[in-house]
C-alpha cells in the first residue's frame, strides 16, 4: 500500500530531511507470463495500464519501456491541453480526456499541476476567421466551451500580443477555450506509474521489444531484451516507433515518423498567463511554472528517428513569435530538442484492434497526443479488455483507411501543424 | 539540417529541398480493378523504416527536379542519391 501524499506526509518527511520517502514504483524483473503487455511506458501506455487495472480488473499486466518511463514524447511536448476540435468524433475523444484531466490530480493523489489557463487560437486572414468561427459553433454544438474574440478582445485577454494592423500577418480575431490549459507532463507519467504500480502492474524499464511471436493470427508473446514474455494481448503505445513494432508483427501502418521540435527560454517573471497558438504563422507560446517561455516549432517534412530537426523550422517559428510579441525580442533561448511524432494521413489517431487477434495499436497521435493522455489510456484499456472499441474511439479504427471514413483534422482543428 | 547533393546542381543546403516521401511506390496499372484494401495500401500504408529508406526529394528552391535518395532515418546520414527511373542501390 502506498502512503498518501498530503501536507502531513510532506511535514513528516521534512523531519527526516526527505530521505525516507517511499519508492513511487518498483523495479521488477519480468514474469514469465502476463494477461496483457503494454509496449511503451509513456503517458498513454502508463495510463492504459492504470485503467486496465482499475476499471477492467486486469492486474496481471506489464508495461515494457525501452528507456525510462516518460523519457520520450511525454517529456518532450509543450504540455498543452484543449479539446476544441472540429469534427464530432474528435470532439468526443478529446473532451473525454479533458473531463478526466479536471479531476486527475485528486484521482491519482499526484499533483499533475493541471492549470486551466485557457488556450487562444489566433486568426490572421479571412479564411482563418471563417474557419475559427465555424469551429466555435461546432464546438458549442458538441458541448465544448468556445468563444470567438475580435481583435480588441484578443488584446484585452493577452495584452502583450502585437495587434497593430500593419504587421505582415495582423491579428484579425481568435477563439478562446477557457477550460483548456497546461499540465506538468512528467508528473502525468509518474502519477500514472505510481497508481498502476500500486495495483500490481509491473513497470519494466530498459526493456526493449525485439520481436512479436504469433502463431497464425494469434499472439503468443513478446521477445524483449530481458527475455521472452508470454502473453495473449499486446497493446502497442510506441508513438514514433509504432511502425517499427508493427513491422515485427508483419503489419504496415499508415504512419510517417517525423521530428517535431520545441524550445524553452531562460526563466522570467510571469508575462503570459495563457496559451496562445497561431496556425497561420506557426507560433505558439505559453509560460511554464518555472517561468520559461515554452515554444512549439513545427515538424520537418522528412521521415526521421534521429530526435533532431532542422534549424530553419525553429528560425521560422521564432520569426513569427517576434512579430506577434516584440517584447520577447531580447529573450535568450535556453534549450531546444526534438521528439519523433507518428503522423497519420488524416492527422487523427489510431486506437484500434488489428487483423491479428490480441494485438492492439494506440498510435498516430502526431503532434498533439499529450492533451489526450488520460482519455487515450481509458479508451485503449476498454478496447483491450473487451476486444471491442468504446463508442468514443470506434471512429479511430485502422479500417478507416480502407473504408475512406477518415477523421480529417488537418488544419480543421486548432492544431498549429 | 544536412547538405544534399542534388544530382543536377551539386551540394546545397537542405532548406532548398522538399521531401516527397517513400520512393518506388508504383501507381496501380489498372486503377479501376483495385479493391479497397489495395487502394489503402497504395494511398496510405508506408514502410516508415528506421534505418536505410529510399525516398523522393525535390529541389524545390533550385532546379525543381525530382530525384531519389537512400537515407538512414536513424541518424539522417545520406547513403546514396540517384535519379528518377534508376534502380535503388543494393549496397
Amino acid at each position: 500500500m502506498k502512503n498518501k501524499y498530503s501536507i502531513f506526509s510532506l511535514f513528516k518527511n521534512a523531519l527526516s530531511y526527505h530521505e525516507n520517502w517511499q519508492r513511487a514504483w518498483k523495479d521488477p524483473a519480468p514474469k514469465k507470463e502476463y494477461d496483457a503487455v503494454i509496449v511503451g511506458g509513456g503517458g498513454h501506455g502508463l495510463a492504459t495500464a492504470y485503467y486496465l487495472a482499475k476499471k477492467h480488473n486486469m492486474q496481471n499486466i506489464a508495461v515494457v519501456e525501452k528507456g525510462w518511463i516518460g523519457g520520450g514524447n511525454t517529456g518532450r511536448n509543450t504540455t498543452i491541453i484543449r479539446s476544441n476540435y472540429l469534427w464530432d468524433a474528435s470532439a468526443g475523444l478529446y473532451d473525454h480526456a479533458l473531463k478526466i484531466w479536471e479531476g486527475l490530480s485528486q484521482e491519482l493523489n499526484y499533483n499533475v499541476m493541471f492549470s486551466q489557463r485557457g488556450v487562444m487560437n489566433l486568426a490572421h486572414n479571412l479564411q482563418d476567421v471563417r474557419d475559427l468561427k465555424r469551429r466555435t459553433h461546432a464546438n458549442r454544438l458538441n458541448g465544448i466551451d468556445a468563444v470567438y474574440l475580435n481583435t480588441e478582445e484578443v488584446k484585452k485577454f493577452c495584452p502583450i500580443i502585437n495587434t497593430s494592423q500593419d504587421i505582415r500577418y495582423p491579428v484579425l480575431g481568435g477563439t478562446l477555450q477557457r477550460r483548456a490549459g497546461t499540465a506538468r507532463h512528467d508528473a502525468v507519467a509518474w502519477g500514472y506509474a505510481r497508481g498502476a504500480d500500486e495495483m500490481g502492474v509491473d513497470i519494466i524499464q530498459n526493456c526493449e521489444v525485439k520481436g512479436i511471436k504469433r502463431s497464425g493470427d494469434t499472439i503468443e508473446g513478446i521477445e524483449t531484451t530481458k527475455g521472452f514474455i508470454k502473453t495473449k494481448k499486446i497493446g502497442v503505445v510506441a508513438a514514433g516507433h509504432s511502425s517499427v513494432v508493427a513491422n515485427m508483427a508483419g503489419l504496415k501502418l499508415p504512419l510517417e515518423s517525423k521530428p517535431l521540435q520545441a524550445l524553452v527560454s531562460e526563466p522570467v517573471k510571469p508575462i503570459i498567463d495563457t496559451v496562445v497558438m497561431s496556425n497561420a504563422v506557426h507560433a505558439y507560446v505559453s509560460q511554464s511554472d518555472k517561468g520559461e517561455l515554452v515554444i512549439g516549432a513545427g515538424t520537418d517534412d522528412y521521415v526521421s528517428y534521429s530526435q533532431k530537426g532542422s534549424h530553419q523550422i525553429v528560425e521560422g517559428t521564432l520569426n513569427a513569435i517576434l512579430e506577434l510579441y516584440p517584447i520577447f525580442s531580447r529573450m535568450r533561448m535556453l534549450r531546444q530538442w526534438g521528439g519523433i511524432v507518428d503522423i497519420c494521413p488524416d492527422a487523427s489517431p489510431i486506437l484500434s484492434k488489428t487483423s491479428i487477434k490480441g494485438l492492439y495499436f494506440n498510435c498516430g497521435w502526431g503532434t498533439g497526443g499529450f492533451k489526450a493522455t488520460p482519455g487515450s489510456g481509458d479508451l485503449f484499456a476498454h478496447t483491450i479488455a473487451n476486444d471491442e472499441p468504446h463508442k468514443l474511439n470506434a471512429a479511430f479504427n485502422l479500417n478507416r483507411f480502407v473504408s475512406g471514413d477518415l477523421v480529417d483534422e488537418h488544419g480543421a482543428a486548432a492544431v498549429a501543424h | 539540417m544536412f547538405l544534399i547533393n542534388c544530382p543536377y546542381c551539386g551540394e546545397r543546403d537542405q532548406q532548398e529541398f522538399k521531401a516527397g516521401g517513400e520512393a518506388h511506390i508504383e501507381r496501380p496499372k489498372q486503377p479501376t480493378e483495385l479493391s479497397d484494401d489495395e487502394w489503402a495500401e497504395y494511398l496510405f500504408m508506408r514502410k516508415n523504416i528506421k534505418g536505410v529508406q529510399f525516398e523522393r526529394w525535390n529541389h524545390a528552391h533550385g532546379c525543381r527536379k525530382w530525384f531519389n535518395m537512400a537515407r538512414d532515418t536513424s541518424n539522417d546520414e545520406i547513403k546514396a542519391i540517384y535519379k528518377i527511373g534508376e534502380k535503388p542501390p543494393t549496397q
Side-chain angles (χ1 to χ4, degrees), chain B residues 19-55:
Chain B
E22 190 179 323
H24 309 299
I25 299 175
E26 205 175 324
R27 191 178 161 76
K29 290 204 169 58
Q30 301 283 346
T32 51
E33 284 163 27
L34 243 47
S35 67
D36 288 352
D37 282 307
E38 287 165 326
W39 269 121
E41 180 73 20
Y42 169 70
L43 286 173
F44 299 127
M45 301 302 163
R46 294 294 177 262
K47 289 182 188 151
N48 198 22
I49 292 167
K50 184 181 188 180
V52 178
Q53 156 159 307
F54 302 119
E55 49 196 27

Side-chain angles (χ1 to χ4, degrees), chain A residues 259-280:
Chain A
L260 174 64
Q261 296 177 85
L263 54 159
V264 295
S265 73
E266 60 192 335
V268 290
K269 287 185 177 175
I271 180 77
I272 179 165
D273 63 356
T274 184
V275 183
V276 184
M277 308 180 76
S278 170
N279 195 355

